[in-house]
């Protein structure tokens, strides 16, 4: 009987020691090591790829924002799975696509209406946009609904409107777009893109500097 109790106690003690060692290794040391390496090697990414303006964080380069006035460049539509009325910069509660096929009648109707709207909004007194000129990313949301980027074609389509509404020369605004256009990752992955938040921050600085 005593041997049985003694063996049980030894096993219990060994189990508790193993639990303590594993807790320290996997629950304390490993997370600290990973966090330390991430902060040292990938500081910007580890902190959420934050974008700052006027000394404060205004968003992330990985998450698109909505609610810009027509004085600014517009992002892709954010037709996700649900919205909230509290934070209008991040309306989506759940990220996701509409999951409608390319030949869905409702989607086709949406796209036609959206193209007409984008063409009208971006036409100025001396620059007229046709619906056929509107790129796909101007009227369709991404798979997540949170795409922070637009195509250079969509950014270029907005140049004349943005210039007119801010009293800037078209050449100034186009130069701004060119400066914020990123090429394919590693030269072959993905598509050229323009981060809308970063571009709009630069636009505001240009307007305020004039």
């Amino acid at each position: 009987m005593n041997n049985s109790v003694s063996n049980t106690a030894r096993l219990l003690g060994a189990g508790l020691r193993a639990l303590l060692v594993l807790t320290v290794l996997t629950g304390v040391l490993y997370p600290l090591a990973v966090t330390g390496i991430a902060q040292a090697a990938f500081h910007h990414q580890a902190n959420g790829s934050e974008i700052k303006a006027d000394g404060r964080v205004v968003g992330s380069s990985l998450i698109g924002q909505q609610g810009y006035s027509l004085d600014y460049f517009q992002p892709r539509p954010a037709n996700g799975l649900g919205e909230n009325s509290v934070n209008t910069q991040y309306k989506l509660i759940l990220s996701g696509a509409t999951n409608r096929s390319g030949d869905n009648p409702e989607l086709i109707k949406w796209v036609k209406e959206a193209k007409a709207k984008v063409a009208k909004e971006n036409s100025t007194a001396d620059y007229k946009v046709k619906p056929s000129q509107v790129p796909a990313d101007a009227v369709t949301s991404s798979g997540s609904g949170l795409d922070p980027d637009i195509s250079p074609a969509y950014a270029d389509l907005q140049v004349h409107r943005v210039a007119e509404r801010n009293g800037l020369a078209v050449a100034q605004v186009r130069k701004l777009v060119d400066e914020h256009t990123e090429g394919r990752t590693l030269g072959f992955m993905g598509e050229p893109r323009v981060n809308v938040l970063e571009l709009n921050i630069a636009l505001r600085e240009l307007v305020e500097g004039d």
Side-chain angles (χ1 to χ4, degrees):
M1 183 70 176
N2 288 337
N3 287 338
S4 177
V5 171
S6 178
N7 288 336
T8 300
R10 281 198 297 273
L11 289 172
L12 182 61
L16 288 174
R17 286 194 296 273
L19 175 63
L20 179 61
V21 169
L22 288 172
T23 299
V24 171
L25 286 175
T26 62
V28 179
L29 297 180
Y30 177 73
L32 285 176
V34 170
T35 300
I37 292 170
Q39 287 293 332
F42 308 101
H43 180 75
H44 177 64
Q45 293 88 337
N47 287 292
S49 300
E50 296 172 340
I51 296 178
K52 294 183 178 180
D54 301 325
R56 64 187 181 87
V57 175
V58 295
S60 168
S61 64
L62 303 177
I63 301 176
Q65 296 187 10
Q66 301 293 315
Y68 294 108
S69 75
L70 289 177
D71 290 353
Y72 292 91
F73 286 90
Q74 300 300 301
R76 295 186 68 171
N79 297 324
L81 304 179
E83 296 186 355
N84 71 80
S85 59
V86 179
N87 188 339
T88 56
Q89 287 184 307
Y90 300 97
K91 289 183 178 181
L92 299 185
I93 295 176
L94 304 172
S95 69
T98 57
N99 292 324
R100 286 174 170 80
S101 64
D103 60 353
N104 181 283
E106 189 175 27
L107 178 62
I108 293 171
K109 180 175 179 289
W110 287 353
V111 168
K112 286 182 177 178
E113 291 174 350
K115 280 191 172 186
K117 182 176 183 238
V118 170
K120 181 180 179 181
E121 287 179 346
N122 287 282
S123 292
T124 65
D126 57 357
Y127 180 75
K128 299 303 177 184
V129 178
K130 298 177 182 179
S132 60
Q133 295 175 279
V134 177
D137 64 305
V139 294
T140 57
S141 60
S142 65
S144 69
L146 298 171
D147 193 344
D149 305 317
I150 56 176
S151 66
Y154 186 27
D156 187 64
L157 188 79
Q158 302 183 61
V159 164
H160 287 263
R161 174 199 19 103
V162 170
E164 182 180 75
R165 293 181 70 97
N166 289 283
L168 298 170
V170 170
Q172 283 181 290
V173 181
R174 181 162 285 124
K175 182 174 181 290
L176 207 62
V177 171
D178 291 341
E179 290 171 348
H180 287 81
T181 298
E182 299 178 46
R184 291 181 171 86
T185 303
L186 299 178
F188 68 94
M189 292 192 296
E191 295 293 331
R193 59 200 179 277
V194 182
N195 186 280
V196 178
L197 177 56
E198 292 177 351
L199 179 59
N200 281 334
I201 290 173
L203 172 64
R204 190 183 69 177
E205 290 174 350
L206 178 62
V207 171
E208 293 178 348
D210 279 3

